[in-house]
Amino acid sequence: MRKTTETRLVFTIALAFSVFISLNPVRAAAEEPASLLDPRESHLSGLVQLTHGGENAEAYWSPDGRELTFQSTRPPYGCDQIFRMPAPPGDTGGEPRLVSTGKGRTTCAYYTVDGRRVLYSSTHHAGDACPPPPDRSQGYVWPIDRNFEIWSALPDGSDLKRVTTNDAYDAEATVCPKDGSVVFTSTRDGDLDLYLMGAGGGPVARLTDTPGYDGGAFFSQDCKKIVWRASRPAGPELDEYRKLLGQGLVRPTRLEIWVADVDGRRIHNARQVTQLGAASFAPSFFPSGERILFSSNYGDPKGREFDLWAVNADGSGLERITYSAGFDGFPLFSPDGTRLAFSSNRGQGKPGDTNVFVARWVDSPRTPPNTEADAYLRDIQWLADDAREGRGIGTKGLEESSRYLEKRFKEIGIEPAGEEGTYFQKFEAPVAVEAKRAEVSLDGEAVARAELEPAAFSASTRVEAEVVAAGYGITAPELDLDDYKGIDAKGKIVAVRRFVPSAATGEANERRYGDFRYKAWNAREHGAIGLIVVDAPLVAEGETMPGEAPLPALRLDNGLTLANSDAGIPVVTLSRATGSPLL
């Protein structure tokens, strides 16, 4: 009788899964990437991102179309200041240049008709510090700060002159491109109304007097019309509006778009354009003056999903322009009508960023097919685009895709069934794996750490048992292979050879039966409590043993999708020198 030696192995593996819940993946700012345009945004092309980080908004053109003014909160400033920067197709490099004083809070900058000065509103005369934020205990509200006055400065910020002097909110000023007259919003008569003044300040005329918020007005290019946002509260809503206004606040959740004809220092034929029941604001005219661009959360009136929309001045022809997740707002055509400046959350470097973009306007885009099959293909093409980065965990492509699908679900009427009435359900997913302890002992002798590597899907546990060899660890009746035939693996640790034997060659067999997960699953199915894999192929007599493959690196594989998705047994690879005797 041949004497046998029982090899016993003490096998301790402790794997720690590092879990990152990706609620707001970091997005890399990029310039002019096609991926920042949704395929349905067919009116836009050649998108250029002009700012990269911070809160940047309300970009307005110089009369020659070569520059933009905008307001921005960025270091070292704690609240909005006014800047200017070149506009495409000119030089878009370099840092934006400060126009305002760097003190107080500013808003709404607009070039004068000759382009030699910039009008903006500021609180700096009332103190250097940023005004306190609004009281959000009363919900989402905007501050109406009575310290805002309109100022005028040269584009480099010098020669600062005060234009208005009131103990009231004076802001939201824009300029007629014909005679330089200025329309603005003020509380000087106790309500939020529109006013008109001459190019140098001059006499002021009140344009609106209906209770409610009238603001954000723009002229048509011929200055024969103005367009603005307005609320018309009544009953209890009017009482609440007046109460908030008395506290220097306004709730902008119900705003509609209005237009009126301008006749000298008066307006007439004021009429409501939209009936959307949402927060619609930042309207401006198309070059023709017959159509209007604006921003609205129409379709998501309780949320923060704002897109650009277009509508005829008579209220017909409502058309959605942008589809990007988050905020799109403050659209304004260049003086020649060929480009559109707007602000958007797309291209974020971090959550909360809003950046300024310029795109070429396409008047007559190719009309996308409207069949269900075409819509399906557009969705697939967008989701499968390389710009989505494979929709991997933690990528901006995954976040973009989730918001894209959310919008599509809303559009086709799918009811949300996720957390808190949304379409989303949070879950944990591993993005990294680390071996905190990985120890193997053979007959009481510790194996050097350099001679072993645990599998990422190994169970984190300690086992001690007899080791039995089971060939390549394959059970494949179709190949007439069964490495477990005649082997009692129950309660034992199984040692198997890496890869596949010659009988299982072929890409499909090598992929299936050479897979570590398969070998671990098959060992467990045969009752094993642990698995050792060794690169020690069987070679025929006279053949040379091939070189040894490196120990597989400890990293996540595609099969590890949940933190508890392990093989159920510890799995380790040993070097050929250490593991071959077990076979």
Side-chain angles (χ1 to χ4, degrees):
M1 177 180 292
R2 186 165 61 91
K3 183 177 180 181
T4 61
T5 302
E6 178 186 283
T7 299
R8 299 187 68 82
L9 175 144
V10 177
F11 196 166
T12 302
I13 296 179
L15 293 179
F17 294 98
S18 300
V19 178
F20 170 61
I21 300 175
S22 178
L23 296 180
N24 290 293
V26 173
R27 301 176 183 180
E31 212 167 295
E32 208 169 351
S35 63
L36 289 182
L37 278 176
D38 185 286
R40 293 166 291 177
E41 295 174 336
S42 53
H43 277 293
L44 307 179
S45 69
L47 187 70
V48 178
Q49 183 173 339
L50 298 185
T51 62
H52 300 272
E55 299 176 23
N56 307 276
E58 299 198 46
Y60 301 142
W61 298 89
S62 61
D64 60 10
R66 298 176 62 182
E67 285 194 338
L68 291 161
T69 60
F70 66 104
Q71 63 191 50
S72 177
T73 297
R74 58 177 59 206
Y77 308 109
C79 55
D80 281 339
Q81 295 296 319
I82 301 302
F83 295 82
R84 63 188 179 98
M85 62 183 169
D91 177 18
T92 59
E95 287 296 313
R97 286 153 287 184
L98 182 68
V99 176
S100 58
T101 64
K103 301 174 183 179
R105 182 186 294 275
T106 64
T107 188
C108 306
Y110 211 91
Y111 282 94
T112 56
V113 66
D114 57 9
R116 295 179 179 178
R117 300 186 71 84
V118 176
L119 291 174
Y120 65 91
S121 293
S122 177
T123 67
H124 70 268
H125 62 284
D128 293 354
C130 293
D135 178 11
R136 290 287 164 79
S137 67
Q138 303 190 68
Y140 182 68
V141 290
W142 285 350
I144 304 297
D145 193 330
R146 63 182 177 83
N147 290 315
F148 268 121
E149 299 288 354
I150 299 174
W151 298 76
S152 168
L154 294 175
D156 65 2
S158 63
D159 193 28
L160 185 64
K161 297 179 180 180
R162 187 166 178 172
V163 179
T164 62
T165 303
N166 292 285
D167 185 21
Y169 173 82
D170 288 325
E172 305 174 30
T174 61
V175 177
C176 164
K178 295 295 185 183
D179 62 14
S181 57
V182 178
V183 63
F184 64 101
T185 299
S186 178
T187 57
R188 61 184 62 198
D189 290 309
D191 196 15
L192 278 162
D193 285 307
L194 298 181
Y195 293 80
L196 185 70
M197 65 181 174
V204 175
R206 186 177 183 180
L207 301 181
T208 61
D209 58 10
T210 306
Y213 180 14
D214 294 283
F218 280 82
F219 287 97
S220 59
Q221 283 196 353
D222 61 8
C223 296
K224 293 182 178 181
K225 291 195 285 278
I226 60 169
V227 61
W228 74 97
R229 61 180 178 236
S231 68
R232 292 293 180 260
E237 290 184 352
L238 180 57
D239 294 337
E240 182 195 33
Y241 165 79
R242 286 171 169 161
K243 177 182 176 182
L244 286 173
L245 190 58
Q247 302 172 46
L249 302 171
V250 67
R251 195 184 312 283
T253 52
R254 291 288 296 273
L255 295 170
E256 301 289 354
I257 306 304
W258 286 64
V259 295
D261 301 322
V262 180
D263 181 11
R265 293 170 56 79
R266 299 179 303 169
I267 61 171
H268 63 92
N269 193 25
R271 62 262 189 206
Q272 185 174 336
V273 176
T274 62
Q275 305 276 349
L276 302 180
S280 300
F281 72 105
S284 61
F285 283 104
F286 277 66
S288 68
E290 300 302 320
R291 198 158 168 77
I292 297 164
L293 275 171
F294 64 100
S295 180
S296 180
N297 63 351
Y298 176 57
D300 187 22
K302 294 182 180 180
R304 295 287 296 163
E305 291 295 326
F306 283 85
D307 289 292
L308 302 187
W309 296 77
V311 66
N312 292 329
D314 63 5
S316 64
L318 183 67
E319 179 186 13
R320 186 171 173 179
I321 304 300
T322 63
Y323 291 81
S324 179
F327 176 82
D328 289 317
F330 304 108
L332 190 67
F333 276 103
S334 60
D336 63 5
T338 63
R339 292 163 291 161
L340 186 73
F342 64 100
S343 302
S344 178
N345 288 155
R346 69 186 77 197
Q348 289 180 321
K350 65 178 185 300
D353 280 358
T354 303
N355 287 297
V356 175
F357 294 81
V358 169
R360 292 190 299 274
W361 179 260
V362 181
D363 270 324
S364 302
R366 177 185 61 82
T367 302
N370 290 319
T371 67
E372 291 183 4
D374 289 320
Y376 174 80
L377 284 174
R378 286 199 304 273
D379 290 339
I380 295 300
Q381 288 168 353
W382 194 91
L383 292 166
D385 191 282
D386 288 346
R388 305 292 89 74
E389 304 173 300
R391 302 182 301 282
I393 293 172
T395 64
K396 70 174 183 179
L398 180 63
E399 174 69 7
E400 290 172 350
S401 298
S402 68
R403 296 302 174 187
Y404 179 92
L405 290 173
E406 178 188 31
K407 288 214 166 201
R408 293 292 288 124
F409 288 170
K410 290 178 181 177
E411 290 168 0
I412 61 181
I414 295 177
E415 292 289 333
E419 294 178 352
E420 299 178 354
T422 69
Y423 294 92
F424 298 97
Q425 183 75 35
K426 298 175 186 174
F427 64 93
E428 292 186 348
V431 296
V433 62
E434 174 188 6
K436 288 193 172 179
R437 290 177 61 202
E439 300 172 354
V440 173
S441 297
L442 297 174
D443 289 337
E445 294 290 330
V447 175
R449 181 63 180 85
E451 301 298 306
L452 67 98
E453 191 64 70
F457 54 86
S458 172
S460 293
T461 187
R462 182 183 190 278
V463 297
E464 181 176 355
E466 176 187 352
V467 178
V468 295
Y472 285 87
I474 297 172
T475 301
E478 74 280 9
L479 299 175
D480 197 25
L481 275 177
D482 186 359
D483 287 323
Y484 284 90
K485 186 176 182 180
I487 293 176
D488 179 12
K490 189 173 183 179
K492 298 182 176 66
I493 295 169
V494 173
V496 300
R497 301 178 190 274
R498 194 173 173 183
F499 306 115
V500 296
S502 57
T505 54
E507 183 178 349
N509 289 330
E510 289 171 0
R511 185 170 58 249
R512 178 181 180 185
Y513 296 119
D515 180 65
F516 275 37
R517 278 183 170 274
Y518 165 79
K519 293 178 186 288
W521 171 82
N522 201 27
R524 190 185 64 193
E525 288 298 293
H526 284 86
I529 62 173
L531 177 71
I532 298 170
V533 182
V534 184
D535 180 13
L538 287 170
V539 294
E541 187 176 347
E543 290 184 358
T544 303
M545 175 74 76
E548 182 178 5
L551 295 176
L554 180 63
R555 62 182 177 219
L556 291 181
D557 63 12
N558 292 333
L560 190 60
T561 56
L562 296 175
N564 61 354
S565 179
D566 61 49
I569 59 175
V571 180
V572 69
T573 303
L574 296 183
S575 68
R576 183 178 292 176
T578 301
S580 289
L582 302 177
L583 301 170

